[in-house]
Amino acid sequence: KDKMAAAADSVPRNFYLLDELEKMEKGAGGGETSYGLEDSKDITLSNWNAMIMGPQGTTSQDRFLELKVHCGPKYPDVAPDVRFVTAVAYNFVEAGGKVNLAKVKTMGGWRRGMTISSMLASLRNEIGSQSNRKTPQPPEGTRF
């Protein structure tokens, strides 16, 4: 590995998450996805609220899909726990809204270097994929 890659591998968890928070506050996500801390006083930077705007041409078009993201103590080496709050029916979402990241083909599995932002973009892409785009969804406003 070069020195930059080695440095990225050793960034402490909180610095990694602070960088993600700062990028989102500056407009990362382009209006298609967004996220922020659930509690601004959470010094562990563990619990996040997130939103995905349903992609055009899908059964979730123009819907705001709400999610909860929990970054555990081993994040970013270990994927965050992700759960839809908005009731959805996709092939990568299990009972209670839990996202099975291993089933998100557009992501290719979690690895260090990924971010909440890149994960949300992958989920949005997966919603727009051939296998999910026409899947009937629960009525708007339904929650898990």
Side-chain angles (χ1 to χ4, degrees), residues 4 9 12 36-37 39 42 46 53 58 60 70 73 75 85-86 100 105 111 132 139:
M4 287 301 286
D9 283 349
L37 281 173
D39 177 359
D42 176 11
S46 296
M53 179 62 126
T58 70
S60 292
H70 175 78
Y75 180 88
V85 175
T86 304
N100 182 338
K105 295 180 190 79
R111 61 204 164 280
N132 285 300

Side-chain angles (χ1 to χ4, degrees), residues 1-11 112:
K1 286 185 181 177
D2 63 30
K3 287 183 182 179
M4 287 301 286
D9 283 349
S10 64
V11 174
R112 187 180 183 98

Side-chain angles (χ1 to χ4, degrees), residues 30-46:
E32 296 176 343
T33 63
S34 68
Y35 61 94
L37 281 173
E38 192 172 281
D39 177 359
S40 62
K41 295 179 181 76
D42 176 11
I43 60 169
T44 67
L45 307 174
S46 296

Side-chain angles (χ1 to χ4, degrees), residues 32 40 47 61 109 128 144:
E32 296 176 343
S40 62
N47 297 305
Q61 179 173 315
F144 278 113

